[in-house]
């Protein structure tokens, strides 16, 4: 069997509603770079990829501004309505080149603070795994559960086995593509790659990552990401 190669899929077809900004967050600037370019370069600077595909909106006028668009090792494809549709579009665009057993990293375009140590740990911990897994961080706060339609606390949830799922997530190409296709065609909600893989009956492996691998979501996250990048 050939040695599995490593591919990268970047879902970047979101519109960033929670940022309330005129351009989507992946095209906003941070420390002189576009956030999408930072998210990609933190991976390309650390591991050797067979290729990279970025899923963007069909009417995207900003892609041409990126460094990624000028790199001939990086291609783009049209994303979909939900994040999972965009990831599946990226996987499908690799169909002719990727083998079932190859690895795919999926990393949010809006996550520019990935530390190289986390990426190296993810890739090395999973290298012998049959399925794949994800970076995640233990839940730190006490968790409260309310009832439907009320803010009255019903219970405190035991957080001892709870994790926050981050990206990159890394799965075997064939398993991930089949799992996403099955979940989407059944209309089941898919919030990350691991959830689709779980629905297919597999057990993704958690690799503990740093809590500062934040996803830019609301405007205040920009200042936090700026600070974090200044410390790396
Ligand atoms: N994404 C995507 N295709 C979609 C929706 C989201 O590729 N249809 C991407 C986003 O571009 C982002 C990542 O998935 O890189 C994580 O999604 P999120 O943080 O929710 O980004 P947005 O959907 O853009 O933001 P919001 O939910 O606030 O609108
Ligand atoms: Mg979203």
């Amino acid at each position: 069997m050939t040695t599995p190669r490593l591919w990268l899929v970047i879902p970047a077809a979101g519109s960033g509603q929670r940022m309330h900004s005129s351009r989507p967050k992946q095209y906003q600037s941070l420390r002189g770079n576009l956030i999408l370019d930072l998210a990609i370069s933190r991976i390309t600077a650390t591991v050797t990829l067979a290729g990279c595909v970025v899923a963007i909106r069909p009417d995207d006028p900003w892609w041409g501004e990126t460094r990624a668009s000028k790199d001939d090792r990086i291609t783009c494809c049209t994303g979909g309505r939900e994040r999972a549709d965009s990831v599946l579009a990226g996987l499908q665009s690799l169909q002719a080149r990727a083998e079932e057993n190859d690895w795919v990293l999926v990393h949010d375009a809006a996550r520019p603070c990935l530390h190289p140590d986390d990426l190296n740990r993810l890739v090395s911990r999973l290298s012998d795994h049959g399925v794949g897994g994800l970076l995640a961080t233990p839940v730190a706060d006490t968790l409260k559960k309310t009832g439907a339609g009320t803010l009255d606390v019903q219970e405190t949830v035991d957080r001892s086995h709870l994790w926050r799922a981050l990206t990159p997530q890394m799965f075997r190409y064939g398993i991930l593509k089949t799992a996403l296709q099955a979940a989407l065609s059944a209309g089941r909600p898919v919030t990350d790659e691991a959830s689709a893989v779980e629905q297919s009956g597999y057990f993704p492996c958690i690799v503990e990552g740093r809590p500062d691998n934040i996803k830019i979501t609301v405007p205040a996250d920009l200042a936090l990401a700026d600070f974090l990048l200044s410390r790396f």
Side-chain angles (χ1 to χ4, degrees), residues 47-63:
V47 292
T48 303
L49 297 173
C52 168
V53 56
V54 183
I56 60 174
R57 290 201 344 221
D59 54 351
D60 181 330
W62 300 285
W63 167 244

Side-chain angles (χ1 to χ4, degrees), residues 76-156:
C76 70
C77 73
T78 303
R81 214 165 63 87
E82 304 291 339
R83 181 182 176 284
D85 300 303
S86 300
V87 172
L88 182 57
L91 295 174
Q92 280 164 339
S93 81
L94 296 174
Q95 183 97 27
R97 296 194 287 154
E99 306 277 343
E100 296 287 288
N101 204 39
D102 281 352
W103 288 110
V104 187
L105 290 166
V106 179
H107 186 52
D108 291 325
R111 235 180 251 277
C113 302
L114 171 65
H115 196 284
D117 291 352
D118 274 5
L119 178 57
N120 283 325
R121 195 172 338 99
L122 179 75
V123 171
S124 68
R125 290 268 170 83
L126 295 178
S127 63
D128 294 330
H129 201 275
V131 177
L134 65 150
L135 284 178
T137 180
V139 169
D141 297 310
T142 297
L143 295 179
K144 301 294 184 191
K145 186 170 181 184
T146 56
T150 163
L151 290 178
D152 293 346
V153 174
Q154 308 294 307
E155 65 173 293
T156 298

Side-chain angles (χ1 to χ4, degrees), residues 54-75:
V54 183
I56 60 174
R57 290 201 344 221
D59 54 351
D60 181 330
W62 300 285
W63 167 244
E65 291 177 24
T66 62
R67 260 188 288 126
S69 68
K70 288 154 191 105
D71 184 332
D72 53 16
R73 296 163 302 177
I74 300 175
T75 54

